[in-house]
Amino acid sequence: MKNIIVHAADIPTTDKQKKNKTDLHDSRALADHLERGNLKGIYVLNQDQQELRSLFRMTESKVIDVTRANNRLKSFLMYYSIKLPETISKNEFLSGKALAWLNIELGSSPGTFTLQQYIEELKYQRKQLFQITKSLRLQIQSLHKETYTNLLTVPGIGAITAMGLLVEIADFSRFEAPDKYASFLGLCPWEDSSGPVIKTKGVQPRCNGHLRPLLVEASWKAIAKSRSLFAYYSKHANKSGKKAIIKVARKLAMIAKGVATSGQPYKEDYLKNKQNEKGLKAERFSLGMTEQHINKQPGSGLRIEMPG
């Protein structure tokens, strides 16, 4: 039997069914929609890919644990007015030198013990994060080495973003259209229109919540490294900088998809050449030129002359 997994929110439901909801009615409705072909199953990763995805998501939760341990220690220092020298630490996250300097004794043994426990907790969480990230990188390099290396050539995409794309998406070619790919990432508008009234409510809330923040953060770095992406951002930043960076994130995601599916590293002149190619096709179309005018006709050795 062919089984599919359907998102519960995608099952068509009438108002009458909502007000008279039972297991019997739900089963009949599911069978009826399934018979008519109204249900479409979601993409399900294989078990190995799901386990690799769990390892990646563990890194995200471990980053939260490291941040919490760091904030707890800083809160403890602020409560007892313990200030670090500016020569040791100026950042929000306490460095190794700062932790070594904090190996001090407070006025009582309970206070000293509490301080040491906060320090040891932060060290432990950082060690765990390092080990998990290292294991994830080794797994990615053994399974998707070429694609991972090519993704790193894209401006703004670092190791974490590249690993996230490979783990969460797995197969880039499973998206039939760019709009479906952008919808999965949550980089398309959420529209609520009726008749002449058009309402847009920003980006879609239904998306992969693990990839969209990574792509938005990578876009800020990308516009600082790529001239073409910075020009694209500047073109749309006059109205709203936040909306412009979402547009850059969408374009960056499309570039990453192209790099992953083609198996070739990123080239900065690719976007410029693509725009020139579009302009050339538009010019040929305006002159009445088609591919038959430019290329040879199939099965004949004659060449049709171009107009003009």
Side-chain angles (χ1 to χ4, degrees):
M1 297 180 63
K2 181 181 178 181
N3 299 321
I4 60 175
I5 298 179
V6 183
H7 195 289
D10 293 340
I11 300 176
T13 307
T14 62
D15 181 70
K16 183 178 180 180
Q17 292 173 345
K18 291 181 180 179
K19 294 180 178 179
N20 190 17
K21 185 179 183 303
T22 62
D23 293 340
L24 179 61
H25 294 166
D26 292 343
S27 301
R28 287 179 176 176
L30 285 173
D32 184 55
H33 289 304
L34 186 62
E35 182 181 5
R36 298 183 181 184
N38 297 333
L39 303 180
K40 184 177 181 181
I42 62 176
Y43 184 83
V44 180
L45 303 175
N46 56 44
Q47 184 173 353
D48 294 339
Q49 191 68 27
Q50 290 183 24
E51 293 175 358
L52 186 61
R53 183 183 63 180
S54 299
L55 181 60
F56 169 73
R57 294 185 178 182
M58 181 181 288
T59 60
E60 295 180 329
S61 61
K62 189 56 63 175
V63 169
I64 297 175
D65 294 338
V66 171
T67 305
R68 288 175 178 174
N70 184 85
N71 293 339
R72 290 192 188 105
L73 179 55
K74 288 186 62 178
S75 177
F76 181 83
L77 297 177
M78 294 177 63
Y79 184 81
Y80 290 100
S81 302
I82 302 175
K83 296 183 180 180
L84 295 171
E86 295 183 358
T87 56
I88 294 180
S89 179
K90 295 182 180 179
N91 300 326
E92 297 181 358
F93 292 93
L94 300 173
S95 61
K97 293 182 179 180
L99 297 180
W101 184 87
L102 288 173
N103 190 16
I104 58 177
E105 294 185 1
L106 299 184
S108 62
S109 57
T112 304
F113 179 78
T114 305
L115 176 61
Q116 294 303 321
Q117 289 300 312
Y118 279 129
I119 295 175
E120 292 299 327
E121 180 187 4
L122 179 57
K123 290 182 178 180
Y124 171 77
Q125 296 295 344
R126 286 180 175 176
K127 183 179 179 181
Q128 289 288 311
L129 177 61
F130 173 76
Q131 293 177 351
I132 295 172
T133 306
K134 181 180 179 181
S135 176
L136 177 62
R137 184 180 288 108
L138 292 176
Q139 293 293 331
I140 291 294
Q141 290 178 350
S142 62
L143 298 175
H144 312 282
K145 182 177 181 180
E146 183 179 359
T147 307
Y148 173 72
T149 305
N150 292 335
L151 285 175
L152 292 178
T153 61
V154 180
I157 294 184
I160 300 298
T161 306
M163 290 188 293
L165 289 171
L166 291 173
V167 169
E168 295 288 341
I169 296 177
D171 184 12
F172 285 86
S173 60
R174 64 187 174 96
F175 297 100
E176 301 176 357
D179 291 340
K180 295 183 178 180
Y181 176 58
S183 177
F184 173 78
L185 298 174
L187 299 175
C188 55
W190 181 27
E191 186 174 347
D192 184 14
S193 302
S194 178
V197 180
I198 299 177
K199 298 180 182 179
T200 55
K201 300 182 179 180
V203 293
Q204 284 188 1
R206 177 179 168 179
C207 66
N208 187 298
H210 301 273
L211 290 180
R212 184 166 68 180
L214 292 177
L215 290 171
V216 173
E217 183 179 357
S219 299
W220 288 111
K221 299 180 180 179
I223 60 177
K225 295 182 179 180
S226 174
R227 294 183 178 180
S228 57
L229 292 177
F230 177 75
Y232 183 77
Y233 170 78
S234 301
K235 177 182 178 181
H236 299 278
N238 295 330
K239 297 181 180 179
S240 174
K242 292 182 179 180
K243 293 182 179 179
I245 204 63
I246 296 296
K247 292 179 179 292
V248 175
R250 179 188 174 105
K251 182 173 287 292
L252 189 66
M254 296 301 172
I255 294 174
K257 182 176 182 296
V259 168
T261 53
S262 64
Q264 300 294 328
Y266 172 77
K267 296 180 181 179
E268 180 64 25
D269 296 336
Y270 169 76
L271 295 177
K272 183 178 180 181
N273 297 335
K274 190 174 182 180
Q275 293 294 334
N276 294 337
E277 183 180 353
K278 287 184 178 180
L280 183 59
K281 288 184 179 180
E283 182 180 359
R284 289 173 178 175
F285 181 78
S286 63
L287 295 175
M289 300 181 187
T290 61
E291 295 296 333
Q292 288 78 8
H293 292 114
I294 301 171
N295 303 325
K296 292 182 178 180
Q297 291 286 342
S300 64
L302 300 177
R303 185 179 180 87
I304 301 177
E305 297 183 358
M306 293 184 294

